[in-house]
Amino acid sequence: MTPKPQIKNSYEDSDFEQVIAEIEEMDDECETISATARGKISGVKTRKANRIKIAKQELNIPTDVLKAVLKQRKLERQLANISAGIPDDMVELYADAAGQFTFLKPDAEHPTDNAAQVAARQRAADIQKVTDEEAAAGAEALDQLAQVH
């Protein structure tokens, strides 16, 4: 196999330098814009943190619950965007499949629960199970102590 011939320099050095200078200037401009945006974002995040504190202190809204609902709503917007990307003629098919294959299905007692409510009910049930197990273990330990004395 014969090696390919080397490509010769077919550009002017000054043109190459000009292109590099322009691109580096654009990179600098991007960094300046990003730095400005980071400063603005920092201000918004500070206002957000203050609002969360005020919600807790003045309105008695639990911070963990507020943050969880905000995350849930963000996820719901993502789901809406997923649905918006489905072709018009497949929306009903998608709705059926999304319900059929959902990870968090409502149960018979709560058929209208959304996914977040299903997850919360499952978490509550898990907590209750652990609490019941700990109570049973504690009662057993007390019974054993009572038998010793």
Side-chain angles (χ1 to χ4, degrees), residues 40-115:
K40 289 180 180 181
I41 289 169
S42 176
V44 171
K45 285 184 176 184
T46 299
R47 289 194 336 259
K48 177 181 168 183
N50 289 339
R51 185 62 182 127
I52 290 170
K53 286 180 189 174
I54 290 169
K56 178 181 170 94
Q57 293 170 353
E58 295 180 10
L59 303 174
N60 297 317
I61 297 172
T63 301
D64 290 341
V65 173
L66 176 60
K67 287 181 177 181
V69 169
L70 290 169
K71 285 180 185 178
Q72 171 194 333
R73 290 172 58 88
K74 182 178 181 179
L75 289 171
E76 288 170 347
R77 282 190 286 282
Q78 290 173 346
L79 290 172
N81 288 337
I82 290 170
S83 293
I86 300 297
D88 293 352
D89 62 339
M90 293 188 190
V91 170
E92 289 182 23
L93 180 63
Y94 171 70
D96 183 52
Q100 183 178 355
F101 299 106
T102 186
F103 178 71
L104 297 167
K105 294 181 183 189
D107 60 25
E109 284 185 47
H110 309 96
T112 60
D113 279 3
N114 64 36

Side-chain angles (χ1 to χ4, degrees), residues 126-147:
D126 291 346
I127 291 168
Q128 188 60 52
K129 180 180 175 189
V130 170
T131 301
D132 292 347
E133 290 170 355
E134 289 173 348
E140 185 179 326
L142 287 174
D143 287 345
Q144 288 176 354
L145 284 174
Q147 291 174 1

Side-chain angles (χ1 to χ4, degrees), residues 116-127:
Q117 290 170 313
V118 172
R121 288 188 198 286
Q122 287 177 356
R123 175 77 172 119
D126 291 346
I127 291 168

